[in-house]
Amino acid sequence: METKKQFSNQMKKLMLSLLAVAGLGFAASAQTNNDIKIGVKAGVTLPTFGVSGTENNGYEQKMNTSFYVGGTVDIPVSDVFSVQPGLSLIGKGGKTDFYYYNAELGNTYTATANSKISTMYIELPVNAVFNFALGSGKIFIGAGPYYAMAISGKNKSTATLSGGGSTITDSGEEDIKFGKDGTMKRGDFGVNFLAGYQLSNGFNIHAGYGLGLSNLDYSDAKVSKVTNRVLSVGVGFSF
């Protein structure tokens, strides 16, 4: 069972690792004439789940809609390369639609269901970013690892059973429980990919993709694997 103390210790270790990476960037930056830039960003996320290790008959994974807000520290190593740690509040999750039809022995019925899982994470990425001058600004592309911890989650579901001239519908909403006593793991590790264009005044538009690598599923973790997939689009400003 996860305790507050264990959660705190995990966050401390994560922060120390991030500071160590950032410290290497600061040391390298001190050898250049470039300035460290602080950035803010916000935008829309279109998350879904990647599911493997189980049959996909009768259901379909779809994108959810959420948001993210955060900040970055851009630490130049050279004129074209920088290390960019950050901190974000980011929405993940996904939708699942299920359909089943049975017509055996004259017993015909149809079952449909949909589930919308919305989770919120605190995410710490460390990206390697390359910058290329273009026009009055620059193109930037990058990638790097991230680690995130879930802080909240909800599951909204609706189910309908039709047959024999009648229809039964049920719906509900519940908080997601994280940890071994719940259905989802709290931690999420993966790789970020990002690209965008920044104007000379610091304003930028960007897009990103988060590829989750850790299995989120506690209910049947040895058989199936559920991972986060997050497409994002947003704007930012660098000071």
Side-chain angles (χ1 to χ4, degrees), residues 130-208:
F130 293 88
N131 304 276
F132 306 97
L134 180 66
S136 59
K138 63 179 181 179
I139 291 176
F140 59 90
I141 57 174
Y146 75 81
Y147 187 80
M149 296 291 287
I151 58 174
S152 67
K154 285 188 178 295
N155 181 13
K156 296 181 180 180
S157 58
T158 302
T160 301
L161 178 63
S162 301
S166 63
T167 299
I168 301 173
T169 300
D170 189 26
S171 62
E173 178 179 331
E174 61 179 356
D175 291 333
I176 294 174
K177 293 182 179 180
F178 297 96
K180 292 184 178 179
D181 294 332
T183 57
M184 290 184 66
K185 294 180 181 178
R186 188 178 294 277
D188 176 32
F189 171 78
V191 180
N192 275 321
F193 302 92
L194 68 151
Y197 183 76
Q198 181 169 305
L199 299 173
S200 57
N201 61 7
F203 177 81
N204 71 75
I205 56 174
H206 56 266

Side-chain angles (χ1 to χ4, degrees), residues 98-100 110-114 158-162:
F98 173 83
Y99 175 83
Y100 179 77
T110 301
T112 61
N114 61 75
T158 302
T160 301
L161 178 63
S162 301

Side-chain angles (χ1 to χ4, degrees), residues 23-73:
L24 292 174
F26 273 109
S29 178
Q31 300 177 16
T32 72
N33 295 321
N34 296 316
D35 294 328
I36 295 171
K37 299 291 185 181
I38 304 296
V40 292
K41 59 181 181 178
V44 176
T45 61
L46 299 171
T48 188
F49 291 117
V51 180
S52 61
T54 185
E55 292 184 2
N56 195 28
N57 297 329
Y59 69 88
E60 180 182 3
Q61 299 293 334
K62 294 184 177 180
M63 287 183 174
N64 199 356
T65 303
S66 191
F67 72 94
Y68 70 94
V69 293
T72 59
V73 180

Side-chain angles (χ1 to χ4, degrees), residues 1-12:
M1 179 177 178
E2 257 187 348
T3 65
K4 291 183 178 179
K5 184 176 180 181
Q6 289 173 327
F7 179 77
S8 176
N9 288 337
Q10 288 177 331
M11 291 302 293
K12 286 179 181 178

